[in-house]
Amino acid sequence: MDLLCFFLVVLLPSVLGLDFGYHSTESLENFLKTVNQNYPSITHLHSIGKSVAGRDLWVFVLGRFPTKHTIGIPEFKYVANMHGDEVVGREILLHLIEYLVTQYGQNAEIEQIINSTRIHILPSMNPDGFEAVVRPDCMFSDGRYNKNKFDLNRNFPDAFEANTVEIQPETQAVMDWVESETFVLSANLHGGAMVASFPYDNSNAAVAAKGVTPDQDVFIHLAKTYSFTANMSRSDGCDDSNRFEDGITNGYTWYPVQGGMQDYNYIWGQCFEITLELSCCKYPPENELQTFWATNRPALIEYMKQVHLGVKGQVFDIQRNPIANAIVEVVGRNHICPYRTNQNGEYYLLLLPGNYTLNVTVPGFKSITQKLELPAGHQLYSALKYDIVYPGPAFRATTSTTQIPSCPKAVSVSSTNEAALLLSTTFTLCFSATPLLMMIFSTDTLSCILSSFW
Ligand SMILES: *[C@@H]1O[C@H](CO)[C@@H](O)[C@H](O)[C@H]1NC(C)=O
Ligand SMILES: *[C@@H]1O[C@H](CO)[C@@H](O)[C@H](O)[C@H]1NC(C)=O
Ligand SMILES: *[C@@H]1O[C@H](CO)[C@@H](O)[C@H](O)[C@H]1NC(C)=O
Ligand SMILES: *[C@@H]1O[C@H](CO)[C@@H](O)[C@H](O)[C@H]1NC(C)=O
Ligand SMILES: [Zn+2]
């Protein structure tokens, strides 16, 4: 019996056999399509949009129910190669895909991760940039930018100062994608340093002194999970000016970035994202790729598991109808755009073990608070499940089933001296983003307007 099992395992065909080399857009597409065809029950492949030159932005999804969100299963994502000349992440995400599908059914840990998480992988956010690299260079090449010469990691709306750059197709595709899924945790893979960098990437004395978020403890934990597992914490850094204690840094402390993707995810997407700088050389020789995969593989896996930190659940009315757009925050951790339930009434909050007070608000109604203990050691493949019944009327008739943006996007309006225009635009957005039952001048609307000036 044991012998038979042994032979079955050994004889399993290696249908994929991805090599350690750089893959063109075409071979990347072929690879993703082949994996999807070979593993249809746990994978899904779709394009979230096109680059300036018309290349698809392919997202590979893994999970027990890969084609759609399932209540209680958190959404996770990895994005690489937004700077087209930073290529290690692009390749190791392809190897990660191969590893996950081939380990499913063989490796209990991987099976648990795939069963409990929906994992989205965008190996290249900037395929035009990747294809534009003529002579690979460790430091810099034109491939950094998209085809219109925009830096995609400076191209997102910014909460701290108006970002006037024109939003590019690749950026818009990611923004729409972030809006369309209930992402909880994410990482954005880069090269040119060895560090895990966490939000904020920008700052503004009135909002967040020195770029510190209300979730600093969680972000430090997330960044260290990666840096310690991948031995970045032991590295000497890449040069004297880029040595990081424990292999982590706050983004703003390192250097301010306006319009970065990680702040956008955290502020508007309700998704905690960190930036992983994986290699001193942005475009290393192919013969180093296998080592990069070996050192990063355990960290990529360990980081994904962190999507199960904290608490998750649904908010219901007294008739057990889920309430969409209810604000669910932890007291003392108010987000710039309050985190809200999705159309299923679901919320996900990443927290370390401890005692917390949840603050639940249906706009227009009184807030309720509930104390919660998150014990240590119960969070391997599921956050603590905690549903909330909101006292008061039934909401079925009054809440919309479509997800309402939790915060206005008017911060990218071009000029700060157009205050009147900004005010009216913002007001319209805030108002339309507010359930009809809500009082126009409630504090929520006011804070919505105020937040648009940050
Ligand atoms: C994963 O889900 C499948 C299908 O429900 C189940 O058969 C399998 O036992 C699960 N694996 C683990 C490790 O929980
Ligand atoms: C990290 O370094 C330790 C000690 O050298 C080694 O045992 C371990 O395998 C390394 N981890 C990775 C992921 O390379
Ligand atoms: C609870 O949240 C509401 C809405 O965001 C806010 O107005 C209120 O001050 C919060 N209460 C506490 C105790 O944090
Ligand atoms: C929560 O608070 C109680 C009472 O102070 C304490 O005994 C317990 O250890 C705390 N739990 C955690 C996870 O910190
Ligand atoms: Zn980069």
Side-chain angles (χ1 to χ4, degrees):
M1 197 53 190
D2 279 351
L3 198 63
L4 180 63
C5 286
F6 173 76
F7 276 115
L8 281 176
V9 170
V10 170
L11 293 176
L12 265 178
S14 153
V15 285
L16 303 171
L18 185 69
D19 61 311
F20 287 99
Y22 289 110
H23 295 89
S24 67
T25 299
E26 198 189 342
S27 70
L28 177 148
E29 286 178 359
N30 288 337
F31 171 75
L32 296 179
K33 286 174 184 167
T34 305
V35 182
N36 178 227
Q37 278 157 16
N38 281 295
Y39 298 89
S41 66
I42 53 162
T43 71
H44 174 58
L45 179 64
H46 67 120
S47 166
I48 56 165
K50 285 187 190 293
S51 68
V52 173
R55 294 186 172 96
D56 276 306
L57 303 175
W58 292 109
V59 169
F60 193 90
V61 189
L62 297 106
R64 272 290 294 139
F65 308 101
T67 56
K68 58 170 180 24
H69 176 67
T70 303
I71 293 174
I73 295 187
E75 308 286 336
F76 175 92
K77 69 180 158 69
Y78 277 132
V79 175
N81 199 216
M82 79 188 294
H83 291 144
D85 61 337
E86 296 168 15
V87 295
V88 170
R90 173 185 165 112
E91 292 300 332
I92 66 174
L93 288 187
L94 297 182
H95 285 279
L96 178 67
I97 289 169
E98 179 182 60
Y99 183 74
L100 292 174
V101 295
T102 54
Q103 291 295 304
Y104 192 84
Q106 321 252 342
N107 173 330
E109 181 191 34
I110 297 303
E111 200 168 302
Q112 294 266 22
I113 292 172
I114 292 176
N115 278 4
S116 61
T117 316
R118 191 155 163 253
I119 304 155
H120 304 249
I121 297 176
L122 172 57
S124 179
M125 181 177 160
N126 183 6
D128 296 352
F130 177 81
E131 295 295 339
V133 177
V134 184
R135 203 173 331 108
D137 189 277
C138 280
M139 305 292 283
F140 177 83
S141 79
D142 277 351
R144 177 181 180 86
Y145 306 110
N146 81 340
K147 200 173 168 68
N148 291 339
K149 304 274 173 248
F150 282 82
D151 185 330
L152 298 178
N153 207 24
R154 307 289 185 277
N155 199 236
F156 284 82
D158 190 290
F160 303 102
E161 50 188 325
N163 194 2
T164 58
V165 296
E166 183 192 328
I167 292 180
Q168 294 299 295
E170 294 89 352
T171 310
Q172 190 63 52
V174 168
M175 288 169 64
D176 294 346
W177 182 41
V178 166
E179 177 119 16
S180 72
E181 299 283 358
T182 309
F183 286 117
V184 177
L185 179 64
S186 172
N188 171 14
L189 280 52
H190 289 251
M194 287 284 265
V195 68
S197 166
F198 56 87
Y200 294 116
D201 257 340
N202 204 355
S203 190
N204 168 329
V207 186
K210 296 182 177 158
V212 175
T213 70
D215 297 302
Q216 170 95 340
D217 55 346
V218 181
F219 277 118
I220 288 176
H221 166 81
L222 292 169
K224 281 186 178 174
T225 296
Y226 202 96
S227 71
F228 280 76
T229 315
N231 282 344
M232 281 152 69
S233 55
R234 303 154 61 103
S235 111
D236 290 335
C238 300
D239 58 58
D240 286 344
S241 61
N242 281 324
R243 284 213 174 108
F244 303 97
E245 196 181 340
D246 294 332
I248 68 169
T249 185
N250 165 269
Y252 179 76
T253 309
W254 186 15
Y255 62 94
V257 168
Q258 187 189 19
M261 185 160 74
Q262 76 177 4
D263 284 2
Y264 179 81
N265 270 270
Y266 175 60
I267 294 168
W268 279 280
Q270 305 194 174
C271 173
F272 285 38
E273 178 167 297
I274 68 171
T275 300
L276 299 170
E277 302 281 355
L278 299 179
S279 58
C280 296
C281 178
K282 293 182 177 184
Y283 207 135
E286 286 186 331
N287 65 12
E288 291 179 18
L289 287 174
Q290 189 156 10
T291 304
F292 278 116
W293 165 238
T295 38
N296 284 285
R297 187 186 85 194
L300 289 166
I301 303 286
E302 209 51 39
Y303 185 75
M304 284 195 280
K305 291 196 219 163
Q306 308 308 312
V307 76
H308 299 297
L309 285 174
V311 60
K312 68 181 178 187
Q314 281 173 288
V315 180
F316 296 105
D317 68 20
I318 47 169
Q319 292 177 358
R320 296 293 284 190
N321 303 312
I323 305 177
N325 298 304
I327 297 170
V328 183
E329 295 266 58
V330 169
V331 172
R333 291 174 186 254
N334 291 329
H335 294 107
I336 289 177
C337 300
Y339 278 24
R340 294 179 182 243
T341 54
N342 69 9
Q343 64 204 40
N344 306 312
E346 287 173 277
Y347 73 95
Y348 295 84
L349 292 171
L350 295 181
L351 296 163
L352 301 181
N355 288 296
Y356 299 97
T357 306
L358 282 185
N359 176 12
V360 184
T361 312
V362 175
F365 293 85
K366 218 164 150 301
S367 300
I368 58 167
T369 57
Q370 303 196 346
K371 286 200 187 319
L372 183 73
E373 181 179 359
L374 279 177
H378 279 271
Q379 307 181 97
L380 204 46
Y381 299 108
S382 173
L384 181 76
K385 196 166 179 310
Y386 187 78
D387 290 340
I388 297 152
V389 177
Y390 197 83
F395 288 94
R396 170 164 280 177
T398 46
T399 47
S400 156
T401 49
T402 55
Q403 193 178 352
I404 295 162
S406 57
C407 203
K409 302 210 154 59
V411 281
S412 52
V413 160
S414 43
S415 165
T416 44
N417 61 22
E418 293 173 39
L421 170 67
L422 180 60
L423 177 61
S424 72
T425 313
T426 306
F427 188 80
T428 311
L429 280 165
C430 288
F431 182 57
S432 62
T434 304
L436 286 180
L437 54 87
M438 192 188 133
M439 296 286 293
I440 297 175
F441 287 105
S442 78
T443 51
D444 190 46
T445 307
L446 286 176
S447 68
C448 186
I449 293 170
L450 288 175
S451 70
S452 301
F453 286 104
W454 293 338

